[in-house]
Amino acid sequence: MADKYDVIVIGSGPGGYVAAIRCAQLGLKTACVEKRETLGGTCLNIGCIPSKALLASSEKFEDASEHFDHIGIDVKPKLNLKKMMAFKDEVVEANTKGIEFLFKKNKIDHLKGHGEIVEAGKVKVGKDTYEADNIIIATGSDVASLPNIEIDEKKIVSSTGALELTSVPKSMIVIGGGVIGLEMGTVWRRLGAEVTVIEYLDQILPGMDEEVRKEANKIFKKQGITFKTGAKVTSAKSGAKGVDLTLEPAKGGDEEKLSAEIVLMAVGRKPYTDKLGLDAVGVEMDERGRIHVDETFETSVEGIFAIGDVIAGPMLAHKAEEEGVVLAEMLAGQSGHIDYNCIPGVVYTWPEVANVGKTEAQLKEEGVKYNAGKFPFMANGRARAMGATEGFVKILADAKTDRILGAHIIGPSAGDLIQEVVSVMEFEGTAEDIARTVHAHPTLTEVVKEAALAVHKRPLHI
Ligand code: NAI
């Protein structure tokens, strides 16, 4: 038997590594188990970070190819995909090494290998068993597929394979018009692929504000993505030339055949709990295969906790991180709190899409009376100067108290702009609070202020 810890975290993604750092900061003797060679989990290795590197690089390529001419810069860019991928790999390496450094700095032991809980308080890693007062499961999620469709990561790829293609496919079919489908579809469209997105529902980006979804569909269509909504894929067969797909209307009807060089499967992710020993120790799952936890993140077994994608809630890195911090503080005897209504979501396309809080549809369903204020980027000087005038900011505030209930943005830097509203919501602030706050001119943030003014029907620049 090796050392005894206060906390062993299983998984080193954003949930796990942040939980480990916060535990160590609070004086708890902490170890983190990771089976991948590098730390950082899906997000740093094969998710958020490499996809953002490719999104940033492909955006520059498209800007140089399509948009520089308009502002008086004559260039003819040539794509060097190998170098673009090498840059992405460098970014990933710098980030994962960064976590190694943070582990050393905080004296967190990195236990390399697959972690299995053998009983409450005991984790087996390889041949060794380690003891801990508390175990945190932060094993994240894995790609989901469709029945009878096998992801081979060559022709039928998940986001992992889509980050590693060695040449630009002539055509790509994306199954799923959610976050991954739109981000990765955008990367390969910008680099030259003909991209078709097939979405089961009647509109892309489920769960988001209706107007934002429509606007996103319109903008991405204009950029060259073909959408087939209300359609479900029933089979996909890989052949020598590419992949043959069969789809049919979601509501039933005649079959259609499509083919493409590459198919990207982006129909969601599922909690990853393989070979963790949960059944044997009696950790209960919910009806959707997620680990069931109480409000302190404790599972049905005392001393075993879970955070991030393996439990309920949005599968987002920042949600997992916050849960990690809150849990660490509770384990150290402090109190912790997370407001699930204040978790922003961002889609890193161009323009970006971001949201927080309730949509109009949700408020209507809940019978809440609200005022909506909307302001377009078109009427903002800075957006015009940047040549980035598509989209709008929409703020929803309680009709009686003016408290902000939600915000929905499609437009340049939406992912950064949403944060102002998130902070105001955390402080239970109102639309009037934003409207009366000085915003620097000329900045995109003025669109948020104007949307807040529009809640009270007094925008200044429209
Ligand atoms: P998603 O849940 O965002 O989208 C999946 C889409 O596939 C949905 O629109 C769904 O209606 C559609 N779909 C399901 N079955 C289908 C079928 N048979 N045929 C056609 N369409 C079908 O899942 P996605 O994009 O795979 O992302 C997985 C997770 O990763 C999400 O929870 C997402 O939030 C997270 N993520 C977050 C990112 C970000 O914050 N920027 C980036 C990438 C992923």
Side-chain angles (χ1 to χ4, degrees):
M1 187 80 67
D3 297 347
K4 171 148 191 194
Y5 292 97
D6 292 317
V7 181
I8 293 181
V9 184
I10 308 179
S12 73
Y17 85 73
V18 167
I21 292 174
R22 191 69 189 120
C23 284
Q25 281 179 344
L26 291 165
L28 301 173
K29 187 171 162 53
T30 308
C32 182
V33 189
E34 174 56 60
K35 64 178 181 170
R36 199 183 249 117
E37 277 303 303
T38 49
L39 298 170
T42 299
C43 177
L44 272 70
N45 288 279
I46 50 167
C48 327
I49 298 301
S51 64
K52 262 77 261 173
L54 288 185
L55 276 158
S57 303
S58 62
E59 187 181 316
K60 287 184 177 133
F61 178 69
E62 183 168 64
D63 270 349
S65 322
E66 309 279 333
H67 305 139
F68 277 11
D69 178 49
H70 181 62
I71 53 169
I73 304 171
D74 293 333
V75 282
K76 258 207 177 128
K78 191 167 159 257
L79 177 67
N80 184 334
L81 185 63
K82 210 171 158 191
K83 229 166 160 177
M84 195 178 274
M85 290 293 184
F87 170 72
K88 173 212 58 167
D89 294 339
E90 268 171 41
V91 172
V92 168
E93 198 187 337
N95 276 270
T96 56
K97 286 255 161 67
I99 311 297
E100 259 177 53
F101 162 79
L102 291 172
F103 272 18
K104 280 198 190 107
K105 182 182 156 200
N106 288 285
K107 303 194 173 43
I108 297 163
D109 287 345
H110 172 191
L111 309 175
K112 293 184 184 164
H114 177 91
E116 185 192 341
I117 304 174
V118 280
E119 61 185 88
K122 284 189 187 156
V123 179
K124 191 165 172 256
V125 184
K127 287 189 216 114
D128 297 316
T129 300
Y130 300 85
E131 275 191 275
D133 291 336
N134 304 289
I135 297 169
I136 301 178
I137 303 168
T139 45
S141 58
D142 197 5
V143 177
S145 188
L146 293 173
N148 309 322
I149 302 184
E150 198 197 326
I151 296 173
D152 58 22
E153 296 297 8
K154 287 189 178 76
K155 290 205 168 72
I156 303 180
V157 297
S158 70
S159 50
T160 308
L163 290 164
E164 297 288 337
L165 301 182
T166 50
S167 62
V168 179
K170 206 174 155 319
S171 53
M172 174 181 266
I173 290 178
V174 178
I175 310 180
V179 192
I180 293 183
L182 293 173
E183 288 187 354
M184 292 316 298
T186 292
V187 165
W188 291 106
R189 177 199 61 72
R190 287 173 180 162
L191 299 180
E194 265 173 38
V195 174
T196 304
V197 173
I198 302 173
E199 167 57 48
Y200 182 80
L201 300 173
D202 56 9
Q203 188 54 279
I204 57 170
L205 292 172
M208 293 225 172
D209 172 83
E210 284 303 319
E211 269 185 284
V212 166
R213 294 172 77 186
K214 272 192 208 131
E215 185 75 4
N217 189 302
K218 200 172 86 193
I219 295 173
F220 299 145
K221 204 167 147 193
K222 208 166 81 191
Q223 291 173 352
I225 294 183
T226 303
F227 289 102
K228 278 189 176 289
T229 52
K232 70 171 177 218
V233 175
T234 49
S235 78
K237 295 237 159 14
S238 222
K241 285 199 187 128
V243 187
D244 295 320
L245 285 184
T246 315
L247 53 147
E248 59 184 39
K251 294 183 183 119
D254 291 344
E255 232 179 47
E256 189 185 340
K257 296 212 183 289
L258 281 183
S259 45
E261 200 177 320
I262 297 285
V263 165
L264 165 61
M265 184 66 78
V267 295
R269 298 180 62 85
K270 53 179 191 229
Y272 179 73
T273 54
D274 277 8
K275 298 187 197 132
L276 257 182
L278 300 188
D279 271 354
V281 289
V283 169
E284 281 170 20
M285 312 298 273
D286 70 14
E287 69 295 344
R288 289 171 60 184
R290 304 171 297 197
I291 297 176
H292 177 73
V293 291
D294 65 14
E295 61 291 346
T296 66
F297 301 104
E298 195 159 28
T299 67
S300 51
V301 179
E302 203 183 330
I304 303 181
F305 300 81
I307 56 168
D309 286 8
V310 280
I311 66 168
M315 289 183 164
L316 296 170
H318 42 279
K319 175 254 192 190
E321 286 184 33
E322 214 49 41
E323 288 177 340
V325 168
V326 168
L327 173 55
E329 290 175 354
M330 290 194 287
L331 292 178
Q334 303 181 355
S335 58
H337 170 74
I338 177 166
D339 184 347
Y340 285 99
N341 197 43
C342 291
I343 298 179
V346 181
V347 189
Y348 298 87
T349 44
W350 179 268
E352 289 180 352
V353 184
N355 68 347
V356 64
K358 300 279 163 77
T359 60
E360 291 196 62
Q362 284 170 327
L363 293 175
K364 278 179 190 146
E365 207 182 299
E366 291 169 16
V368 178
K369 295 248 179 317
Y370 65 92
N371 292 320
K374 199 173 139 193
F375 195 84
F377 283 92
M378 182 62 99
N380 172 267
R382 182 67 183 280
R384 281 211 197 109
M386 291 165 64
T389 51
E390 284 172 318
F392 58 83
V393 174
K394 178 160 50 172
I395 293 179
L396 309 174
D398 188 287
K400 212 163 140 200
T401 64
D402 195 38
R403 193 173 151 182
I404 298 181
L405 304 172
H408 306 277
I409 309 180
I410 177 164
S413 299
D416 295 307
L417 295 178
I418 197 78
Q419 203 56 42
E420 175 181 2
V421 188
V422 177
S423 298
V424 172
M425 283 175 69
E426 274 285 354
F427 285 94
E428 302 186 0
T430 62
E432 189 72 14
D433 287 327
I434 293 186
R436 296 224 173 249
T437 301
V438 179
H439 287 65
H441 176 74
T443 61
L444 298 172
T445 66
E446 291 169 287
V447 184
V448 177
K449 177 183 167 119
E450 289 276 7
L453 282 164
V455 169
H456 304 300
K457 304 198 172 25
R458 56 177 215 272
L460 293 164
H461 292 90
I462 203 159

